[in-house]
Amino acid sequence: MDAADVRGLLGLLLADGSLVPYRSPGGGYIQLTLTAGASESAFLEEKVAEFRQFVPTRAQIVHYKTKPRSNGKSTSVLRFRVSTTKLRPVYNLLYPGGEREITQTALDMLGAKAAAWLWAEGARVYPEGYVDLARIGRSFEEALRVCHWLGVLTGAEATFSDTHIHPRLRFQPGEAAKIRAALLPYAPMSRIHLFKEEIWDVSLIRSARTELLHGTGDIEPARREEEALAGDSPA
């Protein structure tokens, strides 16, 4: 794997994915796991397609349900899992010392494409117009590095939001507009709404995979309603 491939995978996995090392008779493998809820299936499929550009694999997205909770309900989850030695350089950059950390070394390798994946993964848009950016690490030091990195790439400035367990960056409307404008050409299509001014309901964006797993989707209730109305109308 060349340096460009490492940068591509590093940017894709900067804010998402679990990497676990293990040894087998064939050598030291890294296992990648990506998960998503049913309403996020289109975004997961886009990430998997991006991953396959760097690491060809036959691994597929699978659907499963979590164990029933105390109330008897379970959650539908989509999961993509693959093991390969090619992820070793990415693991070394994202897990220095064995713990996940966003380091300056990693950020120095990345550009606007990685920032777009981060924004697509972590942006939380509020009705007031400001945006909180999550998935920027577990410590203030990591968040500060990401803040400076995004500032260099886009010119946007942020403050720190301390109302959550893990740090978040808060971009006021004008600053969020700078990020959107700078990163729009690199935006994942399934999250393009996060790079534009309008606010979409992402739970209504469903891919073909979701429709196959959970029924025929929103069109079927409408069709049944039309049939019922037709049945009630006079001949």
Side-chain angles (χ1 to χ4, degrees):
M1 182 178 294
D2 60 25
D5 291 341
V6 172
R7 285 195 298 269
L9 286 170
L10 182 63
L12 175 66
L13 302 176
L14 182 66
D16 189 34
S18 169
L19 295 174
V20 178
Y22 68 94
R23 298 199 64 81
S24 71
Y29 281 77
I30 302 295
Q31 183 183 79
L32 165 66
T33 302
L34 296 168
T35 59
S39 65
E40 300 173 323
S41 59
F43 188 39
L44 178 60
E45 289 171 354
E46 192 166 0
K47 284 188 283 189
V48 171
E50 181 80 2
F51 177 83
R52 288 194 174 115
Q53 292 187 29
F54 306 108
V55 183
T57 176
R58 295 182 179 178
Q60 300 293 323
I61 298 172
V62 298
H63 168 255
Y64 72 96
K65 288 190 175 183
T66 60
K67 293 181 179 180
R69 299 184 289 275
S70 57
N71 60 6
K73 295 182 179 180
S74 59
T75 302
S76 293
V77 180
L78 298 171
R79 181 180 67 198
F80 174 77
R81 178 172 286 172
V82 63
S83 297
T84 173
T85 57
K86 294 181 179 180
L87 284 169
R88 174 63 66 176
V90 179
Y91 175 82
N92 292 339
L93 287 163
L94 287 177
Y95 290 78
E99 296 292 332
R100 191 177 182 103
E101 180 185 356
I102 300 177
T103 65
Q104 192 60 51
T105 299
L107 292 177
D108 287 344
M109 298 175 63
L110 301 174
K113 180 66 173 179
W117 282 112
L118 174 61
W119 187 261
E121 189 73 47
R124 310 289 188 261
V125 184
Y126 289 85
E128 296 82 359
Y130 64 83
V131 180
D132 278 2
L133 184 62
R135 302 296 187 95
I136 56 172
R138 295 175 175 269
S139 68
F140 173 81
E141 290 76 14
E142 290 174 275
L144 185 61
R145 292 175 197 138
V146 173
C147 185
H148 289 164
W149 174 65
L150 288 174
V152 171
L153 288 173
T154 68
E157 297 180 355
T159 57
F160 288 92
S161 175
D162 56 2
T163 57
H164 301 85
I165 296 177
H166 299 307
R168 292 187 179 188
L169 296 177
R170 175 158 296 178
F171 295 87
Q172 295 302 324
E175 302 304 312
K178 292 179 184 178
I179 284 204
R180 290 186 176 112
L183 301 183
L184 179 60
Y186 310 94
M189 290 307 299
S190 57
R191 292 287 173 93
I192 193 71
H193 57 286
L194 293 175
F195 298 79
K196 297 183 177 181
E197 293 297 329
E198 65 265 24
I199 300 175
W200 293 5
D201 184 350
V202 72
S203 66
L204 299 180
I205 304 173
R206 308 180 71 184
S207 71
R209 177 180 297 278
T210 305
E211 302 299 342
L212 289 171
L213 290 173
H214 302 284
T216 54
D218 295 334
I219 191 172
E220 190 62 28
R223 183 181 299 149
R224 287 198 296 267
E225 184 177 353
E226 290 175 0
E227 292 173 349
L229 291 174
D232 291 338
S233 61

